[in-house]
Amino acid sequence: MARWSGKARSPGFKLFLAGIVAVVLIIPLVMTYALVYDREQQSRTAQASITEGWGGAQTITGPLLVIPFIENVTRSETVDGQSRNTVTQMRRELYVSPTRQAIEGVIDPDRKGYAIYESVVYETDISGSALFALPEDLARHGVRREALLFDQAELRFGVSDPRGLKDGSSVTVAGGAAQLQPGNGPAVTGGSGFSTFIDWSGEGSLTVEWGYGLRGSESLQLVPRGGETEWHVTSPWPHPSFAGGFLPDSREISDAGFVASYAGLPTLALGR
């Protein structure tokens, strides 16, 4: 019977060989990861170059009615061992959302390239109407009607990336054209957007109509601010992606584009 005459390899040597094999196998994985990471970074750089000066993913909201008011704040303090109450007048803001609003959006997409990379951009025309009314239970919100400063009331519209705002924006309040000012949008869009002061006594209801053009890329999201919000959007883009907290109540997709109607918090992504 033949016998193996060589020395048996030690467990440490076997572990060393296993480590060498593992390193050899890891090297191509690391190289692949580095290549993918580099391509992702180049893609992000290309996307930023394409959308620079055009507009990124857009989030829109509004209109939001903001009415300043004066609140009397009572504070207690102790002076020379005696407790005293002092009343200070503080300026606050009452935020009033529409009781209902309807918004129309027409999205015109396009492809822009940079080197070997490509990005989907779009232009959209947004128009809508909203109905406002003061809450009947103002007192429950700690607001006195006589403290409201109606002469300083304003409407705020939010656009997350104001680079995409186009010329020709218009707002009509109770049938009259309003003078628009840049900035001072709702907090949800970081204060970006535009606003306008209005002339309203607080009586009855207030009707607001608006329209503006917007450029963006990747996605368009609407944050509804109202008791009832409807959004109807059309586009010739045949590859929409519907995301967000709510899906469309109805949608039709074909090679000629899509039509979608929302009643909630929608997000539209112009993906493939």
Side-chain angles (χ1 to χ4, degrees):
M1 180 180 295
R3 295 182 179 180
W4 173 255
S5 58
K7 293 182 179 179
R9 294 175 179 174
S10 66
F13 183 74
K14 293 179 180 179
L15 183 62
F16 174 75
L17 289 178
I20 293 296
V21 173
V23 170
V24 172
L25 294 176
I26 287 175
I27 289 176
L29 293 177
V30 173
M31 293 178 64
T32 302
Y33 173 80
L35 179 61
V36 172
Y37 178 79
D38 180 67
R39 292 293 176 86
E40 288 180 346
Q41 291 297 109
Q42 291 183 22
S43 177
R44 293 192 184 99
T45 302
Q47 294 282 348
S49 298
I50 292 172
T51 59
E52 183 178 5
W54 180 271
Q58 293 285 13
T59 298
I60 60 175
T61 187
L64 180 65
L65 176 60
V66 181
I67 308 174
F69 66 95
I70 301 300
E71 180 182 19
N72 294 327
V73 179
T74 302
R75 298 176 179 174
S76 298
E77 58 182 355
T78 302
V79 179
D80 297 331
Q82 295 183 346
S83 179
R84 297 180 180 177
N85 292 331
T86 58
V87 178
T88 304
Q89 289 189 332
M90 303 290 292
R91 180 186 173 92
R92 309 288 192 190
E93 290 182 336
L94 174 66
Y95 297 91
V96 182
S97 297
T99 56
R100 66 176 181 269
Q101 64 175 340
I103 303 172
E104 295 282 337
V106 179
I107 301 175
D108 183 17
D110 193 10
R111 290 187 176 96
K112 288 187 176 294
Y114 180 86
I116 63 173
Y117 301 97
E118 189 178 74
S119 180
V120 179
V121 298
Y122 62 82
E123 294 187 47
T124 179
D125 292 320
I126 300 171
S127 60
S129 61
L131 185 67
F132 290 90
L134 281 180
E136 297 180 357
D137 55 348
L138 276 177
R140 296 185 61 180
H141 296 275
V143 180
R144 296 178 296 108
R145 183 184 177 89
E146 57 271 19
L148 293 172
L149 305 176
F150 288 105
D151 60 333
Q152 300 178 33
E154 61 180 333
L155 288 169
R156 297 178 183 176
F157 295 79
V159 175
S160 61
D161 191 344
R163 295 177 302 172
L165 275 173
K166 299 166 59 179
D167 294 335
S169 301
S170 64
V171 175
T172 301
V173 181
Q179 184 70 34
L180 305 183
Q181 302 177 13
N184 202 27
V188 69
T189 55
S192 299
F194 57 93
S195 62
T196 178
F197 288 102
I198 65 170
D199 183 14
W200 186 46
S201 64
E203 299 294 336
S205 59
L206 178 70
T207 302
V208 178
E209 297 179 344
W210 72 91
Y212 60 90
L214 186 66
R215 295 191 302 263
S217 60
E218 298 182 16
S219 66
L220 174 64
Q221 179 175 351
L222 169 69
V223 179
R225 296 293 299 262
E228 298 178 10
T229 298
E230 297 179 357
W231 187 32
H232 182 76
V233 57
T234 60
S235 173
W237 186 253
H239 310 293
S241 175
F242 302 100
F246 297 89
L247 294 176
D249 295 292
S250 64
R251 59 183 174 182
E252 297 179 7
I253 305 174
S254 67
D255 293 339
F258 72 90
V259 177
S261 296
Y262 287 90
L265 178 59
T267 300
L268 260 177
L270 300 182
R272 294 188 60 85

